[in-house]
Amino acid sequence: MGSVYCHLKANISKLITQYKIEVDSTIVYKFRSRDYWPGKKRFGLYRFLPLFFCLGAALEFSMINWTVGETNFYRTYKKRQAKNYIEEQSANLNTESK
């Protein structure tokens, strides 16, 4: 059992190193572009916050304004909120009447 494990471990590590060599030239090159984003010395990783803030705002805008068929996120949320309010009020009336 131990020799099979060692053999599998050697094969897996060999595959990983081959994969890293093949992938290194394509994927790592794409991620190096983050080094060109300004503010690396002063802000570190926090320099990406404005980017993610804008992405979050775009996501929120799309959830509210884009419709699929006749529904969008905002309408669905408002319907659920109204349904919860009605259920809460009916539960309050039921407890008061007892």
Side-chain angles (χ1 to χ4, degrees):
M1 185 71 169
S3 64
V4 173
Y5 175 74
C6 290
H7 181 68
L8 285 174
K9 187 176 176 183
N11 284 340
I12 289 173
S13 64
K14 183 180 176 183
L15 287 172
I16 288 172
T17 56
Q18 286 177 351
Y19 180 72
K20 280 185 179 177
I21 290 169
E22 292 173 6
V23 172
D24 189 38
S25 62
T26 57
I27 292 178
V28 173
Y29 178 73
K30 292 177 185 175
F31 290 119
R32 286 186 185 159
S33 62
R34 73 172 184 252
D35 292 335
Y36 299 116
W37 192 271
K40 184 176 182 180
K41 279 186 177 180
R42 175 171 271 173
F43 300 115
L45 283 177
Y46 295 108
R47 69 187 187 267
F48 298 109
L49 280 177
L51 173 70
F52 293 122
F53 181 80
C54 292
L55 289 174
L59 176 67
E60 191 69 28
F61 180 82
S62 67
M63 289 170 69
I64 291 172
N65 292 319
W66 289 351
T67 59
V68 177
E70 292 187 16
T71 57
N72 65 3
F73 175 79
Y74 185 70
R75 284 189 199 131
T76 305
Y77 174 76
K78 292 302 266 183
K79 283 180 187 177
R80 184 64 191 169
Q81 196 175 24
K83 191 176 184 181
N84 288 343
Y85 179 76
I86 290 170
E87 289 174 356
E88 183 181 310
Q89 292 300 321
S90 65
N92 287 341
L93 287 175
N94 288 340
T95 57
E96 288 176 4
S97 64
K98 289 183 180 181

